[in-house]
Amino acid sequence: MFFQDGEWYVDTEKDFRVPVVFDNLIHQGAMPVTIGVFINPGVIPAADGQGEPVKNRSVEYDTLSDAYARFLIEEMLPEVGKQYKLTEDPEQRAICGISSGGICAFTVAWQRPDAFRKVLSHVGSFTNIRGGHVYPALIRKEEKRPIRVFLQDGEKDLDNQHGNWPLANMEMDKALAFAGYDYRFVMGTEGHNGKHGGAILPESLRWLWR
């Protein structure tokens, strides 16, 4: 299971504490033995070596192409596979992220369901940062993908020039329902953070791996 913004998910002092949750659920038999791969977005050093580095997060996460999926499949999976035995079954691969990492998780499975079929999105940015607001329309009109999706958002999530995050996630909810996807949508009362998503992470993973 891949995690965008990996440091947020692996840190046992933050909201998600994935290693602890994994250990508990695996021990309970609520999910299979799963290798977590925690990846931070790229940072491009300043050309002169002195200026501020350029954060590549939005390019990697908000772009709707298959570029990030290919990065995972062609580069990260082989690299991790040097140390661990990894499944080649897409039904046994999942991907998770928060905010732009959430829409990134969906894009990976949408673009490459032959490689990833389980998606967990926390306060996902299904807004017009780089065109992500089109997903509800695509879900309704394009051929159904064999993917399972868990969406979480909060009533106090962002509302800015890119769009309204709660409305965007509700559009995703309705589109996934219309197209007959295996999905779940949970709306909480929090804002653009990991508090609610972290609180329901065990429940989310139980549902995703059921």
Side-chain angles (χ1 to χ4, degrees):
M1 186 167 185
F2 281 90
F3 293 84
Q4 278 73 250
D5 294 309
E7 63 182 326
W8 284 93
Y9 283 96
V10 76
D11 192 334
T12 56
E13 300 298 319
K14 294 187 182 292
D15 295 312
F16 295 102
R17 305 180 303 117
V18 169
V20 175
V21 176
F22 265 30
D23 284 349
N24 290 338
L25 293 179
I26 291 168
H27 178 72
Q28 295 165 13
M31 65 180 284
V33 174
T34 303
I35 294 172
V37 184
F38 304 87
I39 307 175
N40 287 332
V43 177
I44 303 170
D48 60 6
Q50 298 178 353
E52 287 291 321
V54 177
K55 295 180 180 179
N56 205 44
R57 183 173 182 271
S58 179
V59 173
E60 294 174 20
Y61 290 177
D62 294 305
T63 301
L64 304 190
S65 74
D66 69 345
Y68 192 80
R70 286 189 289 104
F71 162 65
L72 297 182
I73 296 164
E74 298 170 11
E75 298 184 46
M76 294 307 301
L77 279 169
E79 187 65 28
V80 178
K82 293 177 182 178
Q83 301 180 59
Y84 302 97
K85 184 178 179 180
L86 301 178
T87 181
E88 295 184 0
D89 181 1
E91 295 288 353
Q92 297 300 311
R93 290 182 186 159
I95 184 163
C96 173
I98 184 169
S99 186
S100 291
I103 191 174
C104 178
F106 184 83
T107 296
V108 167
W110 178 261
Q111 292 281 358
R112 294 296 302 271
D114 61 311
F116 290 90
R117 293 191 179 172
K118 289 178 171 61
V119 175
L120 177 53
S121 169
H122 297 119
V123 294
S125 300
F126 297 98
T127 54
N128 192 17
I129 297 177
R130 292 179 184 271
H133 63 298
V134 303
Y135 269 135
L138 295 178
I139 291 166
R140 289 173 180 271
K141 290 191 172 185
E142 291 197 11
E143 182 179 352
K144 182 182 173 184
R145 270 68 161 173
I147 61 177
R148 176 178 293 173
V149 182
F150 191 109
L151 302 176
Q152 174 273 330
D153 199 16
E155 295 173 355
K156 299 184 184 71
D157 204 351
L158 298 175
D159 184 13
N160 59 29
Q161 69 270 29
H162 302 302
N164 180 286
W165 267 244
L167 287 176
N169 276 271
M170 286 188 280
E171 285 273 13
M172 290 289 291
D173 167 32
K174 297 301 183 184
L176 290 165
F178 175 84
Y181 275 82
D182 180 9
Y183 86 101
R184 187 176 176 191
F185 173 53
V186 177
M187 177 70 82
T189 59
E190 275 293 333
H192 200 70
N193 58 56
K195 293 179 181 178
H196 178 223
I200 66 169
L201 182 60
E203 171 192 346
S204 308
L205 290 173
R206 283 192 190 95
W207 183 89
L208 202 66
W209 290 104
R210 76 193 192 283

